[in-house]
Amino acid sequence: MLKDLVLGDEMLTLSINEGAATGFDYFWLRDNARDPESFDSRSHQRELYTAAIDPMIRPKAARLSDDGDALILDWPDLNIEAHYEAGFLADFSSAGDPMRMPEATPWDGRSIDPEAVRLPYATLSGNEGVTPLLETMLAHGFAVLTDCPRDLTAVQTVADSIGYVRQTIFGGLFEFEANENMADSAYTPKELRPIPTAPTAMMRRAFSCCCASAMRPRAVNRSWSTARGLPKGWLPSNRRFMPTSHGSG
């Protein structure tokens, strides 16, 4: 049951099932509209192009259904009203919503606590599974797994625990070593600066070096760790096992 609808400047609030008032951002509501123009109910796929939504969008009008089972919004870019069922809104109303991301923790080489980003590989098989690893990566931007088995299986285990690994012509997981003769910076220990194409390669390099553990003692990727403000030797590997990330080139 929905009640106490109030339209604010950036969000609307309402109570669900006699609970406390809960706020819903206008942009989020528009992006999650379940009308036929925005959402394919058969395939459960979004038809709306999120990037085309006005960041400052807000409904022209809002009301609750007579039985209180739905929120009805009239959006300026829709020809029909969008209905949001009470159950759908309830799924995203909890303050402990699992979709809520932890706040990022800014850091540099002087302020970062090395132990805050280090986790034993055995953590993945614990009761919380991959959650501690993902929370650390979300908070700090990276994580260092320690005591990893020194084989491809360890990398495969970590990659599969995080999500789907896309299969390419190279397979899902492939191995290569630094090779200065290759016309690709991914094969070199050179610093990857923050350009539009760098984050994916930087993520791959950090992930694979930390997961694969120290296959050899030489810190070939030292330029990357130093550039990021990390102590030299944090990423001590010149052999990289690279999982092919979903959606990357």
Side-chain angles (χ1 to χ4, degrees):
M1 174 69 73
L2 305 176
K3 58 187 302 186
D4 302 328
L5 173 63
V6 178
L7 297 182
D9 292 335
E10 298 180 356
M11 67 176 65
L12 61 80
T13 60
L14 46 73
S15 63
I16 304 174
N17 299 326
E18 305 298 333
T22 301
F24 290 92
D25 180 80
Y26 290 133
F27 187 94
W28 183 88
L29 286 167
R30 179 64 190 92
D31 192 37
N32 285 275
R34 291 300 189 259
D35 63 277
E37 294 182 22
S38 307
F39 185 77
D40 186 336
S41 59
R42 186 186 64 172
S43 64
H44 289 270
Q45 293 177 313
R46 181 184 280 105
E47 296 287 343
L48 176 67
Y49 181 40
T50 302
I53 303 175
D54 180 356
M56 304 304 295
I57 195 169
R58 60 174 296 160
K60 296 188 296 182
R63 60 187 175 88
L64 300 178
S65 62
D66 294 338
D67 57 9
D69 284 343
L71 167 68
I72 304 172
L73 300 180
D74 183 6
W75 294 105
D77 60 341
L78 271 180
N79 297 320
I80 58 177
E81 293 179 318
H83 290 239
Y84 302 80
E85 300 298 327
F88 172 78
L89 296 176
D91 288 340
F92 296 93
S93 65
S94 172
D97 190 336
M99 295 297 290
R100 195 177 300 274
M101 299 296 183
E103 293 187 8
T105 303
W107 57 268
D108 57 27
R110 294 182 298 274
S111 65
I112 191 169
D113 176 8
E115 295 306 313
V117 295
R118 299 174 72 89
L119 301 96
Y121 175 81
T123 301
L124 298 177
S125 59
N127 293 332
E128 295 184 273
V130 75
T131 300
L133 172 61
L134 295 181
E135 289 179 341
T136 300
M137 293 176 68
L138 286 168
H140 300 281
F142 75 105
V144 178
L145 283 175
T146 61
D147 301 319
C148 298
R150 301 183 180 187
D151 53 47
L152 285 172
T153 303
V155 181
Q156 186 75 55
T157 298
V158 176
D160 288 341
S161 68
I162 294 175
Y164 169 72
V165 176
R166 190 182 66 174
Q167 301 296 309
T168 70
I169 59 173
F170 301 104
L173 189 68
F174 58 96
E175 175 185 356
F176 64 91
E177 296 182 356
N179 185 346
E180 295 284 356
N181 295 322
M182 298 294 292
D184 188 334
S185 60
Y187 287 84
T188 72
K190 295 179 181 179
E191 173 187 352
L192 293 177
R193 296 184 181 276
I195 58 176
T197 58
T200 298
M202 195 173 289
M203 178 274 294
R204 286 175 171 175
R205 181 171 292 185
F207 171 79
S208 53
C209 290
C210 296
C211 282
S213 184
M215 294 298 292
R216 298 181 184 177
R218 291 178 294 170
V220 173
N221 284 311
R222 186 173 295 168
S223 61
W224 186 89
S225 61
T226 304
R228 297 293 298 165
L230 298 176
K232 293 182 179 180
W234 266 44
L235 306 177
S237 172
N238 79 326
R239 173 173 293 181
R240 299 198 290 276
F241 300 133
M242 181 180 293
T244 307
S245 303
H246 178 60
S248 64

